[in-house]
Amino acid sequence: MRETDLFHVLAQPWNAETMKSKLLAACAAAALSCALASPIAAADAPPTAAEAKAFVDAAEADLAALSEYGAHAGWVQATYINADSNWLAAKANAENTEAAVKYAKQAARFDHVEVDPVTRRKLYLLEQAVVLPAPARAGAAKELADLQADLDTLYSTGKFTYQGKTLTLDDMQDILRTSRDPAETKALWEGWRTVSPKMKDDYVKLVALANQGSKALGYADTGALWRSWYDMPPDRFGGEMDRLWGQVAPLYKSLHCYVRGRLNERYGDAVQPRTGPIRADLTGNMWGQAWGDIYDIVQPKGGTGLGYDLTANLVKQGYDATRIVKTGEGWYQSLGFAPLPQTFWERSMITRPRDREVVCHPSAWDVDNKDDLRIKACFTVTADDFYTAHHELGHNMYQRAYADQPFLFKGGANDGFHEAIGDFAGLNALTPDYLKQVGLIDTVPGTDADIPYLLKIALDKVAILPFAYLVDKWRWEVFSGQVTPDHYNDAWWDLVRKYQGMAPPAPRPADAFDPGAKFHVADNTPYARYFLADIYEFQFYRAACRQAGWKGPLNRCSVYGNKAVGEKFAAMLKLGQSRPWPEALKTFTGEDDIDASAITDYFAPLAKWLAVQNKGERCEAV
């Protein structure tokens, strides 16, 4: 699906999913030389505003100059996995992490110095930029980097043999999308999770090292560090996540109740009971985070349906991966954005190579922090990848929009923004009006297709909300010590049952480490960004439709070709991370706080329909 912030331009594959995650870990290669060269490094007197500005200026110059090597090393490792590329990426990551930690400590020296707002913002970002800080002791940064590289490799090269065939995750996911044999879905679901038990020992070591580094920076643990990234105290951010979940939970629970009932009708009580949790392998998705691929099972009865099959139309019209990406580029151009540079087409990886191991998980890159934009993906001709192409290009457009900002402001207003930009485009890309405008359907279905359409969108956009909420909730508990290694898996499933209302198809083995079977856990990419992005996305969409003068149902609004909307949209993107996120949000939407009511507005007709469908069902809290 989709899944960097200010640091995608640095020494790692700073893509839309690893932004803050690997961010200044990447910038850090320059940190040591910057810290040592700074005139304040050895000063004993109270620091001054002039020294603070000199420190930041020197840091930006060094980081901008030294970040490119790490980005190239990260790109090679992601697109050509072998012992050498892993070594290069781990070396760059170790150097960056070690320097970034020292950098954050240097920046903290100016916490009580009165400085101008720009310098204060940059110091704040420097202090928040480390994702997995290593302890200061010699060799710790390399140890942490090696653990990260090992976890990435175990995930990206993981395979499972089924019916005599060795399958990659992509292969297994392709079967899950269409298989309606519960024995087969169970075998594949459990098979993929055989790759992750071997990750656990490394993960335990990684957590311990990162916590030591976080405490040295003044945080209670690494989870508190991650929660400090949102222009508010860490404890308040946790409360904001709870508040937002409270806004969307009723809609999710209603959808869950409906889908469970239809799965029961398809498979019977022995496979999927009418009450209780949904069996996770029956959702068409390896993690139960998106249910769109089982639309054929849960679609409204006796209705007209969507009226078209986007995947079939893409195939029929001869689309390939390149044409899908060019269509996504055309959406942004219609709003006034410039075409992608020729180097994008020469250097991106948009299909899976046949001759080597790669990281297929889609990501967007700005390798040189100027105009070397790229995407990395293994696209196929499907509706899902049509959406994903629009999403990933949103990261590239954001990266280019803030390219003129000072180095430390080259990032999303927060990491959720970077994801939401692409999601906003992807949501528009699925609207029937847009599909007709680009020639993928001949006619726009009538209003009787609105419920099928909203249901199809909700199966992905609403279904992901509890999963996006719980992944970091689990990691925060792990980092804090509330959950110990012996209970990693049990704690994971407690949260899955509580928020997703799901259960595994059978009891899990004693050595299971199921969180590691999710890319973002193995890759140590924070996940709260996706929960926030799903909410920002609808806020952006509602604001854009209001600006366009749209008066009808939100699901029928398309802003394709509206350059006035594009101008306001670009104004928000150009701010990068130079302002706190509420100011960036207000630039485009007129609102200064995140608000999930846009989701309930968008799905209001579906919510009414679900209430009718669920009459007589036991829609107990999931």
Side-chain angles (χ1 to χ4, degrees):
M1 210 171 168
R2 69 270 206 276
E3 293 97 357
T4 48
D5 203 79
L6 139 78
F7 313 106
H8 54 290
V9 296
L10 304 177
Q12 285 285 317
W14 306 145
N15 53 54
E17 338 203 13
T18 56
M19 267 191 146
K20 206 146 206 158
S21 309
K22 307 206 178 199
L23 184 46
L24 265 185
C27 303
L32 273 179
S33 60
C34 176
L36 293 174
S38 173
I40 61 90
D44 294 322
T48 66
E51 289 171 338
K53 187 176 187 307
F55 172 76
V56 167
D57 289 347
E60 285 196 299
D62 279 346
L63 294 177
L66 297 174
S67 65
E68 192 171 350
Y69 171 82
H72 282 285
W75 175 265
V76 172
Q77 191 273 339
T79 60
Y80 210 122
I81 301 174
N82 60 31
D84 294 322
S85 63
N86 284 347
W87 186 91
L88 290 169
K91 182 177 186 295
N93 195 28
E95 293 170 349
N96 291 338
T97 300
E98 187 174 48
V101 171
K102 294 189 178 184
Y103 223 178
K105 290 180 179 178
Q106 290 278 348
R109 186 168 182 260
F110 301 100
D111 281 350
H112 303 293
V113 179
E114 187 173 341
V115 296
D116 64 271
V118 170
T119 300
R120 175 54 57 203
R121 180 75 177 162
K122 290 178 180 179
L123 289 167
Y124 167 79
L125 294 174
L126 285 171
E127 290 188 56
Q128 311 302 311
V130 186
V131 176
L132 292 178
R137 64 175 171 79
K142 183 179 185 305
E143 183 181 355
L144 186 61
D146 287 344
L147 290 169
Q148 290 178 266
D150 288 347
L151 288 166
D152 269 337
T153 299
L154 285 169
Y155 185 96
S156 297
T157 61
K159 295 179 178 65
F160 174 64
T161 300
Y162 176 68
Q163 294 185 342
K165 295 182 180 180
T166 299
L167 305 177
T168 66
L169 174 59
D170 293 344
D171 297 330
M172 286 181 268
Q173 185 60 42
D174 284 343
I175 298 172
L176 277 183
R177 288 189 181 104
T178 57
S179 177
R180 300 299 178 252
D181 176 356
E184 182 172 61
T185 60
K186 176 177 181 289
L188 293 172
W189 189 96
E190 292 179 336
W192 172 242
R193 283 158 179 78
T194 62
V195 309
S196 54
K198 63 189 73 172
M199 299 179 189
K200 185 178 176 182
D201 287 345
D202 281 353
Y203 194 79
V204 172
K205 295 174 185 175
L206 179 142
V207 167
L209 281 171
N211 272 345
Q212 290 173 33
S214 296
K215 289 174 181 176
L217 292 176
Y219 297 95
D221 55 68
T222 305
L225 169 63
W226 289 12
R227 294 191 300 275
S228 73
W229 295 337
Y230 299 94
D231 295 300
M232 65 181 73
D235 289 346
R236 183 183 162 197
F237 178 71
E240 282 292 279
M241 292 282 284
D242 293 341
R243 174 183 69 82
L244 293 166
W245 170 243
Q247 284 187 280
V248 297
L251 176 60
Y252 174 78
K253 292 174 182 177
S254 186
L255 179 67
H256 176 280
C257 184
Y258 171 76
V259 168
R260 181 182 59 193
R262 299 302 301 274
L263 288 171
N264 171 261
E265 292 173 7
R266 175 62 181 256
Y267 294 111
D269 291 342
V271 174
Q272 176 57 67
R274 195 81 178 188
T275 60
I278 289 174
R279 203 175 107 169
D281 62 307
L282 301 180
T283 62
N285 179 270
M286 190 61 80
W287 308 276
Q289 69 181 62
W291 308 342
D293 288 314
I294 59 167
Y295 179 78
D296 60 298
I297 297 176
V298 305
Q299 63 186 309
K301 298 176 181 178
T304 59
L306 289 174
Y308 59 87
D309 182 329
L310 179 53
T311 294
N313 288 359
L314 289 165
V315 173
K316 182 179 179 181
Q317 294 194 26
Y319 271 72
D320 58 13
T322 299
R323 188 175 174 188
I324 285 176
V325 177
K326 285 187 175 292
T327 302
E329 178 192 27
W331 186 84
Y332 293 95
Q333 286 185 262
S334 82
L335 296 185
F337 289 81
L340 291 161
Q342 180 59 31
T343 52
F344 173 89
W345 303 104
E346 296 168 353
R347 300 170 184 174
S348 289
M349 185 191 87
I350 61 175
T351 57
R352 179 189 278 274
R354 296 183 178 183
D355 62 341
R356 61 189 189 270
E357 297 282 2
V358 299
V359 178
C360 265
H361 192 87
S363 56
W365 300 55
D366 180 3
V367 175
D368 67 353
N369 195 32
K370 297 175 185 176
D371 55 12
D372 190 355
L373 305 172
R374 310 178 190 183
I375 57 173
K376 172 191 62 60
C378 299
F379 287 140
T380 55
V381 183
T382 63
D384 281 350
D385 284 348
F386 184 77
Y387 171 93
T388 300
H390 286 72
H391 168 89
E392 293 302 335
L393 290 177
H395 294 298
N396 288 143
M397 298 300 170
Y398 204 172
Q399 289 160 350
R400 184 166 58 182
Y402 55 60
D404 291 334
Q405 288 283 355
F407 183 77
L408 289 173
F409 292 162
K410 294 179 190 292
N414 64 41
D415 51 7
F417 268 65
H418 236 295
E419 296 303 326
I421 300 308
D423 285 347
F424 163 51
L427 186 60
N428 196 125
L430 297 178
T431 59
D433 276 2
Y434 171 68
L435 297 178
K436 183 176 185 302
Q437 287 171 309
V438 297
L440 277 166
I441 60 175
D442 294 327
T443 58
V444 176
T447 56
D448 53 353
D450 280 3
I451 293 301
Y453 177 80
L454 286 169
L455 178 61
K456 187 74 164 63
I457 298 296
L459 291 171
D460 290 331
K461 296 295 183 179
V462 176
I464 194 177
L465 285 165
F467 185 76
Y469 179 63
L470 72 86
V471 173
D472 277 358
K473 204 170 185 66
W474 177 81
R475 283 192 283 201
W476 296 345
E477 293 178 356
V478 166
F479 285 132
S480 73
Q482 180 180 340
V483 172
T484 60
D486 289 346
H487 297 94
Y488 276 2
N489 218 55
D490 290 341
W492 174 263
W493 282 105
D494 285 347
L495 291 171
V496 170
R497 287 186 179 91
K498 179 177 180 179
Y499 293 107
Q500 281 187 286
M502 288 189 183
R508 302 300 295 134
D511 69 340
F513 180 52
D514 294 332
K518 177 62 181 170
F519 171 81
H520 301 76
V521 175
D523 188 62
N524 297 289
T525 299
Y527 212 81
R529 65 187 60 171
Y530 301 110
F531 181 77
L532 299 175
D534 212 34
I535 296 168
Y536 286 133
E537 164 190 357
F538 287 92
Q539 240 181 311
F540 293 163
Y541 201 84
R542 181 174 64 182
C545 292
R546 287 172 174 172
Q547 292 164 26
W550 181 256
K551 301 299 183 184
L554 279 176
N555 63 283
R556 285 190 162 259
C557 167
S558 172
V559 297
Y560 178 73
N562 193 313
K563 288 185 168 53
V565 170
E567 186 175 350
K568 290 201 72 172
F569 188 47
M572 176 177 70
L573 303 190
K574 289 176 183 177
L575 290 175
Q577 203 164 224
S578 65
R579 300 283 191 276
W581 66 261
E583 294 183 36
L585 180 67
K586 192 168 186 176
T587 299
F588 181 49
T589 68
E591 302 163 336
D592 58 9
D593 199 6
I594 184 170
D595 180 14
S597 69
I599 292 182
T600 54
D601 285 354
Y602 186 92
F603 290 108
L606 179 67
K608 292 179 181 178
W609 182 83
L610 288 172
V612 174
Q613 305 305 307
N614 288 336
K615 282 185 177 178
E617 297 288 343
R618 288 176 55 191
C619 295
E620 70 278 1
V622 300

